[in-house]
Amino acid sequence: MELLAAEASPCETGFNSCSLLWRMTQNKGFALDGGHVIDKIGQVLLIVLAAFFLRWLVNRAIERIIKQVTSIKGPQSIADLADKLGSGNARRDELLGDRSDKRAETLTGVLQHVAGIVIMTVAFMLVLSAFNVNLAPILASAGIAGIAIGFGAQNLVQDYLAGIFILIEDQYGVGDNVDVGDATGTVVDMGLRVTTLRSLDGTLWYVRNGQILRVGNSSQSWAYVVVDTPLPPTADIDRVGEIITEVAGTFVEDEEWSAHILKEPEYLGPIEITIDEIKVRLGVRTTSDQQWAAGRELRRRVSEALREAGVIDLAGSGRIYVPRTVAGGGAAGAAGAAGTTA
């Protein structure tokens, strides 16, 4: 009997679900159908488990790679100014948080989401193939749809790719003052598709990342403050240079500003001479977050020092401007125009 049962087994040779059910029930139909179902369920479970494991592995690799990429310092890494720059960066981090962590979190989330979609799509295709579903029409339709979407949404794809590279390269971040060509202002929000800027007059600009061809960032590392002072053409240039140099030295020694000065101020002397004025220039390297405040303070101090020294005297400049009146008209107007200078 056992020999006849073994010969009458409908299952393939070897250990499988069908042979196991045949030995348990000796029912040919149940062994074939049940074994087939169990085998398919096992294949699906294996595909699903492999997909989840692969997604976990890829997510972990993406997290490590993005963390390494975003932790690399860009152009703001200046060894000889590290101590000075620390204060400015610490203040920005205190107000806005650690930008590298935010960049890493954003990029990690996006790439993990994309990787998850790809892996699960392939797993779904494998599950369908396990049930002998013809995938050729599905893949052909998906290819045609992908081409159509690619042509229709190429600007959208361009924006997202540009946003990813902006984050990876740390070209700018929230709180930075940037010039992106069509708009200039402070970055209030940045995503993978659109960067939002707040200009000086309060206008909120939405700039597509794919349309940003160049970026000027005024908030990275350090800034060079240029103070140009116009003087009367009769001014003593040497005396003016001594006064401005003295003002700059006092400014550097001031406890309120010394922490923001990265290099000794440079008096560059006259940079422009016309019949109306002589323009002299003072330059100083400061931390990026205090460049505008330092420039205003320097201009105020230079102006006061030159006025106290008698170098700048509006009343004795040799030119008095009289508002032109239109009420007299004709000759009176001409006389008024002739009397605008004395």
Side-chain angles (χ1 to χ4, degrees):
M1 292 295 296
E2 292 181 358
L3 182 59
L4 292 175
E7 293 177 352
S9 175
C11 304
E12 297 180 357
T13 58
F15 180 79
N16 50 51
S17 302
C18 178
S19 61
L20 180 63
L21 293 177
W22 171 255
R23 292 177 183 177
M24 293 175 60
T25 63
Q26 297 295 315
N27 188 318
K28 182 177 180 180
F30 181 76
L32 289 174
D33 295 338
H36 182 72
V37 171
I38 293 176
D39 288 340
K40 294 299 181 182
I41 292 176
Q43 291 181 16
V44 171
L45 289 178
L46 184 61
I47 292 172
V48 172
L49 290 176
F52 276 102
F53 176 75
L54 182 60
R55 190 180 70 168
W56 173 83
L57 195 63
V58 171
N59 288 347
R60 190 176 179 86
I62 290 175
E63 185 176 356
R64 290 187 176 182
I65 293 173
I66 294 300
K67 187 175 181 180
Q68 292 179 357
V69 171
T70 55
S71 63
I72 298 175
K73 299 297 182 181
Q76 69 272 25
S77 177
I78 304 177
D80 58 338
L81 302 178
D83 295 336
K84 291 286 187 178
L85 292 176
S87 59
N89 292 338
R91 282 191 298 274
R92 183 174 63 183
D93 291 344
E94 182 180 353
L95 295 174
L96 303 174
D98 189 354
R99 198 164 75 185
S100 62
D101 289 345
K102 292 182 179 179
R103 290 191 298 125
E105 182 180 355
T106 302
L107 287 173
T108 300
V110 171
L111 295 181
Q112 287 181 349
H113 182 68
V114 173
I117 292 177
V118 172
I119 293 173
M120 290 304 170
T121 301
V122 174
F124 179 71
M125 293 295 182
L126 293 177
V127 169
L128 292 180
S129 65
F131 289 98
N132 298 324
V133 176
N134 188 8
L135 299 180
I138 298 177
L139 294 177
S141 301
I144 296 174
I147 294 174
I149 293 174
F151 278 110
Q154 55 183 337
N155 289 332
L156 187 64
V157 174
Q158 181 184 12
D159 294 339
Y160 276 99
L161 289 177
I164 290 174
F165 282 106
I166 288 173
L167 286 172
I168 291 177
E169 297 170 0
D170 193 21
Q171 297 179 13
Y172 55 82
V174 175
D176 285 351
N177 291 279
V178 299
D179 180 355
V180 294
D182 295 332
T184 303
T186 303
V187 180
V188 297
D189 185 29
M190 64 175 301
L192 292 180
R193 193 181 73 85
V194 172
T195 295
T196 307
L197 304 178
R198 177 79 67 177
S199 63
L200 186 62
D201 61 358
T203 304
L204 198 62
W205 293 92
Y206 296 91
V207 184
R208 286 173 44 201
N209 293 331
Q211 297 299 313
I212 299 177
L213 301 180
R214 53 96 172 153
V215 177
N217 194 331
S218 302
S219 302
Q220 283 187 343
S221 304
W222 55 270
Y224 193 76
V225 178
V226 178
V227 178
D228 291 339
T229 305
L231 302 169
T234 58
D236 185 350
I237 300 300
D238 294 333
R239 175 60 179 157
V240 169
E242 294 175 359
I243 296 173
I244 293 180
T245 303
E246 183 179 353
V247 171
T250 305
F251 179 75
V252 172
E253 295 175 356
D254 193 333
E255 294 182 357
E256 182 180 355
W257 298 100
S258 60
H260 307 292
I261 307 302
L262 305 179
K263 193 176 181 180
E264 290 294 328
E266 300 173 322
Y267 175 68
L268 305 178
I271 60 168
E272 183 179 342
I273 299 177
T274 65
I275 193 173
D276 294 322
E277 67 179 13
I278 300 175
K279 188 177 293 184
V280 296
R281 174 168 294 177
L282 173 69
V284 58
R285 183 178 295 186
T286 67
T287 54
S288 59
D289 61 333
Q290 292 295 318
Q291 54 182 306
W292 296 280
R296 290 192 297 267
E297 180 65 17
L298 262 178
R299 292 182 182 93
R300 184 187 68 81
R301 295 192 182 195
V302 169
S303 177
E304 289 183 354
L306 293 177
R307 188 173 291 110
E308 292 176 359
V311 177
I312 299 178
D313 186 3
L314 296 179
S317 61
R319 178 168 294 186
I320 301 175
Y321 293 92
V322 180
R324 182 177 299 180
T325 59
V326 188
T340 55
T341 59

